[in-house]
């Protein structure tokens, strides 16, 4: 594993425009369970998966019932959002923020809805599946802080008159067009993609590594994951660093700093 960490540090230093893709595995070390890992919510509770598929249609049908599951309220989603609300960034989140600060990573696209990348200091972030910390109007696309959802007056309403939902993108809900085009632009611009803690089976997110490589074999895709994924099995990733993101990513930062130490280094202190 150490050789691959060294290899990743070297590839990152040589890259022109490196971006990062992340998934739920990034935040398991912050105490937020993933969906499909060995201890994932759906691995241990199949009905939770079925309920998740109902969230968007519930909002369309009955926005008041949808909002019954606000953080602090009852239901699977309420409990999950409470865990998210208490979570803190882990060393993996801080390592990615450090790679951006050093100018090595230019952009990060996350499927996570927990807001932990921004909390750790990452700035150039696309939240592909939205965030629990905001509201979004599915009609006009405008967003507001979650605090605007007054518990005594649900559902919250947008200035355009429509009911608002969590900014979170539920199953069977389209990805907001602004987010979709930002992510695609970044995927087509990059020459290196570091893919961390995602099983890469949720679409259209999982298409981003494919889009990056299409007609550009020189684009490197590096995976950091506790287990092999769809990308590993299809040979889409150039290599897979098997391990925890909270250990591997700080290791990459350390290796990268060692390599760039000394006169002539272009990295900030
Ligand atoms: P997933 O559950 O399908 O896959 C997680 C992957 O990460 C698995 O391959 C697992 O082996 C790996 N993993 C788990 N812990 C790890 C660790 N410490 N280090 C390295 N790898 C680790 O997750 P996904 O691919 O992101 O797709 C699930 C969907 O659920 C996403 O759309 C996401 O929005 C949502 N989700 C978000 C959160 C969150 O915001 N933290 C949590 C659960 C689910």
């Amino acid at each position: 594993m150490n050789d691959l960490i060294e290899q990743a540090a070297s590839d990152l230093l040589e890259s022109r425009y490196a971006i990062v893709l992340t998934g739920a595995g990034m935040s398991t070390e912050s105490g937020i369970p993933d969906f499909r890992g060995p201890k994932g919510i759906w691995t241990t509770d199949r009905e939770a998966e079925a309920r998740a598929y109902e969230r968007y249609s519930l909002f369309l049908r009955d926005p008041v019932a949808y909002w019954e599951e606000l953080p602090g309220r009852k239901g699977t989603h309420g409990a999950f959002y409470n865990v998210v609300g208490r979570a803190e960034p882990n060393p993996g989140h801080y390592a990615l923020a450090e790679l951006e600060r050093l100018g090595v990573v230019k952009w990060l696209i996350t499927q996570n809805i927990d807001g932990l990348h921004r909390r750790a200091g990452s700035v150039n972030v696309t939240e592909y599946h939205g965030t629990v910390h905001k509201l979004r109007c599915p009609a006009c696309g405008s967003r507001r802080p979650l605090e605007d959802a007054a518990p005594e007056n649900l559902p919250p309403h947008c200035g355009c008159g429509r009911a608002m939902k969590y900014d979170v993108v539920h199953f069977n809900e389209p990805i907001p067009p602004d987010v979709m085009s930002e992510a695609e632009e970044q995927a087509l611009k990059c020459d290196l993609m570091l893919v961390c803690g995602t099983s890469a089976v949720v679409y259209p997110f999982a298409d981003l590594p494919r889009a990056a490589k299409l007609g550009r074999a020189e684009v490197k895709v590096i995976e950091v994951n506790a287990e092999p994924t769809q990308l590993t099995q299809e040979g889409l990733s150039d290599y897979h660093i098997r391990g925890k993101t909270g250990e591997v990513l700080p290791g990459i930062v350390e290796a990268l700093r060692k390599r760039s130490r000394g006169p002539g280094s272009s990295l900030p202190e």
Side-chain angles (χ1 to χ4, degrees):
M1 179 166 100
N2 284 346
D3 285 355
L4 289 180
I5 287 177
E6 290 291 338
Q7 181 68 49
S10 160
D11 287 338
L12 279 162
L13 279 172
E14 282 172 15
S15 67
R16 173 186 49 76
Y17 197 93
I19 70 168
V20 180
L21 263 56
T22 70
M26 261 318 293
S27 297
T28 53
E29 290 163 84
S30 293
I32 305 175
D34 61 14
F35 282 167
R36 298 179 188 81
K39 294 181 190 155
I41 302 174
W42 295 350
T43 314
T44 53
D45 177 2
R46 301 303 300 174
E47 280 179 22
E49 181 169 6
R51 285 196 297 275
Y53 278 87
E54 291 302 313
R55 289 289 289 162
Y56 188 53
S57 59
L58 176 64
F59 171 78
L60 296 176
R61 213 173 50 242
D62 187 350
V64 175
Y66 170 92
W67 278 102
E68 279 294 306
E69 295 192 359
L70 259 181
R73 294 183 172 220
K74 62 182 190 287
T76 317
H77 288 85
F80 177 68
Y81 288 3
N82 288 338
V83 171
V84 169
R86 285 194 299 270
E88 296 290 332
N90 68 56
H93 294 108
Y94 287 115
L96 292 179
E98 178 68 356
L99 289 176
E100 182 183 337
R101 196 189 69 80
L102 293 171
V104 174
V105 159
K106 307 293 192 288
W107 206 273
L108 186 151
I109 308 169
T110 186
Q111 293 173 94
N112 295 347
I113 56 171
D114 54 32
L116 293 182
H117 285 299
R118 289 188 195 277
R119 291 259 310 279
S122 291
V123 177
N124 295 332
V125 178
T126 300
E127 290 168 319
Y128 199 82
H129 291 157
T131 162
V132 288
H133 303 295
K134 285 185 195 155
L135 305 169
R136 179 167 44 83
C137 172
C140 73
S142 71
R143 295 176 176 86
R144 288 197 343 230
L146 179 66
E147 291 71 36
D148 286 4
E152 66 284 359
N153 192 17
L154 294 172
H157 277 87
C158 179
C160 77
R162 295 283 293 269
M164 295 185 90
K165 58 183 290 296
Y166 278 105
D167 181 38
V168 171
V169 177
H170 302 299
F171 285 95
N172 300 322
E173 177 182 359
I175 305 289
D178 55 342
V179 167
M180 186 90 143
S181 56
E182 191 170 79
E184 279 172 9
E185 187 190 322
Q186 293 298 324
L188 298 181
K189 207 165 160 184
C190 77
D191 62 346
L192 187 152
M193 193 179 254
L194 185 62
V195 185
C196 309
T198 173
S199 58
V201 295
V202 177
Y203 287 84
F205 185 89
D207 274 331
L208 293 171
R210 289 173 182 80
K213 282 249 184 194
L214 194 67
R216 300 192 305 146
E218 70 281 9
V219 173
K220 282 211 167 81
V221 174
I222 306 171
E223 272 191 283
V224 180
N225 199 301
E227 56 186 23
T229 72
Q230 196 73 26
L231 299 179
T232 336
Q233 280 145 18
E234 284 177 28
L236 242 143
S237 51
D238 290 81
Y239 53 97
H240 165 219
I241 308 179
R242 190 167 190 160
K244 292 183 171 180
T245 48
E247 293 168 7
V248 173
L249 295 172
I252 293 176
V253 172
E254 201 186 314
L256 189 140
R257 281 199 170 282
K258 268 193 207 142
R259 281 172 177 268
S260 61
R261 211 163 273 154
S265 165
S266 55
L267 292 186
E269 277 309 303

